[in-house]
Amino acid sequence: MALSLRPLWLGVAGLVGFGALLELVPRLGVVDDRFLPPTSRILSVLAEQAGAGPLWSAVGNTVLTWAIGLALAVAAAVVLGVVIGSVRFLRAATASTIEFLRPIPSVAWIPAALVLYGPVRAGTLLIVVYAAFWQMLVQVLHGVADVDPVARDTAYSYRLGRWARVRWLTWPTALPYAVTGLRLAATVALILTVTGELFIGGPGLGAEILRASAGGAVPLTYALVLVTGLLGVAANLLFRLVERRALAWHPAVRGEVPA
Amino acid sequence: MRRKLAALLISSALLVAAGCGDDGGGDGDGDNGAGQPTGPDQVSVGLIPIVDVAPLFLGQEQGFFAARDIELATDFGAGGANLIPGVESGQLDFGFSNVISLMLAQAGGIEIKAVSNGNNSTGTQGEDFGSLLVPVDSDVQSAADLEGATVATNTLSNIVETIVRASVRNDGGDPSTVEFVGVPFPEMEAALAGGDVDAAFAVEPFQTIIRTNEVGRSVAWSWVDAAPDLTVAAYFTSAELAENNPDLVARFSEAMAESLAYANDNPDAVRAILPTYTEISEELAAELTLPTWPPEINRASSEALAQQAVQDGLLSEPPDLDALYP
């Protein structure tokens, strides 16, 4: 217990130190406090907003866009990943296309999203799904390719059907990869959700940041940025939990659990 | 655990289905056809969260749209040019954009039509909702001194370049020597304070903020320099909607005209509504210089503006205002 407490304590101290630094920098006049307000002012604006409805509806909208986008991307990537990964012909035929499409930064699709959908949620979803899909697909493909040849031969010897092989052979092998992919995709999807809300449209925290900055409300702009950060931390914690749950049987996770 | 994960996957699949359903519903704003008895027409309008669009929110509050069977849904975009594709593709019914963006869109083959005036300059030198600002300690005394200078504009190759050049030209300078850099309005104060630019063209509320903080002073009022009582922006729709549903477009235009007139006559109501859809504080809203909101587009001002845009090379030929304007 003592061992696990110290990093937590240190982590909190680090955060407080960082906050104190951001409090001092504008107070000492290193940066103009009109452009970077001290931490205390940002936090007081945040506390003010926390009592009001618009902030929570913005958080709700961002989470909704994020969840829809992530679900679409993950579902498509798992299905396509298992199918492509299991069929050698498909793997060979799609590899170059995937390697071509994957590195295209999702934000490069913003003008296209605007033309296709306009400044609404669907436009933002396009870039969210695009970014999250590749994170997941590549992991699933690697996972499917990692099936132990001996286990595979055994499965063939026992005449397991196609579906049984996916269920008892491919799936357990690919799961650790898929769960990692899920966590990466979740983080990327959140980044693209806020980006999309800022530069494309649709309701949410990005739109609120735009509104705050267009109204000259600098402390509020920073407070909203802080909220997006908190959302990111929450998302990461959530998917770490999912990872531990889903892979409780896996040696890598079992090894982490203190005896 | 595996069963739980399966449940997770199934629930995400359900979410996907729900997501699709949601999209389908959101697209349903196309009930502009015969569906009269089903209640008011749902009309989506793409806006920018700035002072200029206050009349629409006032008109909504005053019931000018409801009286014409229109129920407004507003979406904010990052800039007027971003809204044009959304309107053209039918995702939005109407949008708000400056007139140069509309002319550029027309030149690019996008079929849109202005349906209502947006907002105009005050027409008064020394008191307008936008001005060309220089750092307080700058040597620049008037626009002609900006020859060879670097000027911050919110968007490159757009209306602000045209009007800033007009200021320099009217003051006897050579407008072709001015260099523009893109700086979003909220960042202009920092750009002026840090000496990154020689001047910046800022609109409200940033014009007031920059002057109040004694970072910059105004040397020219470029909206006013460009043309008398310049129409800065307009509400527009797609040529398709204008053709297929002239009745809806006419009702929207009437409601807008009433809203513009109301805003023009009730500046206190404008100042009161600003904090509701922007993050401009009440104190700041009380100090701002408001634009004017005549109900009609000042077409002569657009002709003058277009002529200068052609002269500067921003437009390759004069726009077809008969096709673009009502």
Side-chain angles (χ1 to χ4, degrees):
Chain A
M1 255 347 246
L3 267 173
S4 67
L5 261 179
R6 183 169 289 172
L8 184 71
W9 180 84
L10 273 175
V12 170
L15 214 61
V16 170
F18 184 62
L21 182 72
L22 286 186
E23 174 81 24
L24 280 177
V25 164
R27 290 229 183 263
L28 294 175
V30 181
V31 177
D32 196 321
D33 69 349
R34 288 198 309 278
F35 309 140
L36 176 62
T39 315
S40 55
R41 202 179 308 157
I42 295 171
L43 289 178
S44 82
V45 169
L46 186 60
E48 227 170 79
Q49 293 288 316
L55 175 71
W56 295 109
S57 89
V59 169
N61 272 312
T62 295
V63 169
L64 181 67
T65 307
W66 173 66
I68 294 174
L70 185 62
L72 285 170
V74 166
V78 167
V79 172
L80 285 175
V82 170
V83 171
I84 293 174
S86 313
V87 183
R88 185 172 299 166
F89 166 75
L90 283 179
R91 213 162 51 220
T94 55
S96 52
T97 312
I98 288 173
E99 283 313 307
F100 170 69
L101 289 175
R102 194 171 62 94
I104 297 176
S106 208
V107 288
W109 293 104
I110 287 179
L114 277 167
V115 173
L116 283 170
Y117 295 108
V120 291
R121 175 174 278 149
T124 296
L125 274 176
L126 179 78
I127 64 166
V128 174
V129 171
Y130 190 86
F133 174 76
W134 300 114
Q135 296 283 347
M136 192 69 190
L137 181 74
V138 168
Q139 288 294 325
V140 173
L141 283 176
H142 280 308
V144 172
D146 196 37
V147 170
D148 181 4
V150 176
R152 191 178 53 215
D153 292 345
T154 310
Y156 276 111
S157 305
Y158 279 86
R159 294 174 182 255
L160 264 75
R162 182 166 284 270
W163 173 246
R165 286 202 310 274
V166 167
R167 173 67 186 84
W168 301 109
L169 189 67
T170 316
W171 181 241
T173 311
L175 194 58
Y177 290 88
V179 171
T180 303
L182 183 65
R183 196 155 53 79
L184 293 175
T187 310
V188 167
L190 184 63
I191 294 171
L192 269 300
T193 302
V194 176
T195 307
E197 286 164 359
L198 258 172
F199 294 102
I200 300 173
L205 285 168
E208 290 303 302
I209 291 173
L210 183 72
R211 226 165 51 86
S213 115
V218 178
L220 178 60
T221 310
Y222 280 97
L224 289 165
V225 169
L226 199 63
V227 175
T228 61
L230 292 174
L231 207 55
V233 171
N236 201 22
L237 287 177
L238 175 73
F239 282 97
R240 270 188 192 283
L241 196 72
V242 169
E243 192 169 17
R244 288 203 161 208
R245 287 270 171 133
L247 299 179
W249 52 273
H250 197 276
V253 172
R254 279 202 313 229
E256 264 179 40
V257 180
Chain B
M1 277 322 145
R2 281 177 197 165
R3 217 160 275 163
K4 275 194 183 165
L5 202 88
L8 184 86
L9 277 174
I10 290 170
S11 58
S12 29
L14 286 177
L15 248 176
V16 171
C20 296
D22 184 46
D23 277 0
D27 288 349
D29 52 13
D31 58 331
N32 313 313
Q36 244 70 354
T38 58
D41 286 309
Q42 308 280 327
V43 168
S44 55
V45 189
L47 300 169
I48 321 168
I50 54 172
V51 177
D52 310 34
V53 298
L56 186 129
F57 288 96
L58 270 181
Q60 190 177 22
E61 185 190 74
Q62 294 294 318
F64 299 153
F65 290 92
R68 291 171 177 87
D69 263 343
I70 289 176
E71 197 177 302
L72 290 179
T74 53
D75 276 301
F76 285 127
N82 278 3
L83 300 171
I84 292 173
V87 170
E88 194 211 12
S89 68
Q91 294 286 329
L92 293 167
D93 297 319
F94 297 95
F96 175 89
S97 178
N98 79 63
V99 294
I100 287 281
S101 286
L102 296 180
M103 293 173 193
L104 286 168
Q106 187 194 43
I110 296 176
E111 296 190 10
I112 45 173
K113 198 158 177 68
V115 295
S116 161
N117 194 31
N119 63 315
N120 292 41
S121 80
T122 59
T124 311
Q125 290 287 351
E127 196 186 355
D128 195 17
F129 77 102
S131 63
L132 194 52
L133 295 124
V134 297
V136 274
D137 56 359
S138 166
D139 295 334
V140 174
Q141 294 304 326
S142 73
D145 299 336
L146 288 172
E147 277 188 354
T150 305
V151 178
T153 160
N154 65 323
T155 315
L156 289 169
S157 298
N158 208 298
I159 192 165
V160 169
E161 286 191 11
T162 310
I163 61 162
V164 167
R165 286 202 181 100
S167 289
V168 175
R169 188 185 291 121
N170 293 0
D171 199 37
D174 178 0
S176 65
T177 61
V178 179
E179 203 174 309
F180 292 96
V181 287
V183 179
F185 286 128
E187 286 155 36
M188 285 180 178
E189 183 185 3
L192 283 173
D196 304 332
V197 294
D198 301 313
F201 185 82
V203 296
E204 297 291 11
F206 300 101
Q207 170 186 245
T208 296
I209 294 173
I210 292 170
R211 287 202 299 238
T212 309
N213 290 339
E214 292 178 356
V215 168
R217 58 185 161 83
S218 299
V219 291
W221 285 263
S222 303
W223 299 126
V224 184
D225 289 336
D229 303 321
L230 175 80
T231 282
V232 173
Y235 294 86
F236 64 97
T237 189
S238 63
E240 197 184 336
L241 184 67
E243 194 170 316
N244 294 343
N245 202 340
D247 170 61
L248 176 72
V249 172
R251 281 184 282 136
F252 179 85
S253 301
E254 281 170 26
M256 266 323 304
E258 192 175 358
S259 306
L260 292 168
Y262 183 85
N264 230 10
D265 295 343
N266 297 281
D268 289 339
V270 172
R271 293 182 199 278
I273 206 161
L274 285 179
T276 66
Y277 73 93
T278 70
E279 289 299 337
I280 296 171
S281 66
E282 282 168 33
E283 302 78 51
L284 192 54
E287 287 174 44
L288 304 181
T289 304
L290 299 175
T292 60
W293 288 288
E296 298 291 329
I297 296 181
N298 181 347
R299 186 164 162 160
S301 77
S302 292
E303 281 162 5
L305 192 68
Q307 194 192 340
Q308 294 170 72
V310 171
Q311 197 178 334
D312 298 333
L314 183 58
L315 286 169
S316 53
E317 55 183 285
D320 180 2
L321 290 185
D322 289 330
L324 190 60
Y325 281 4

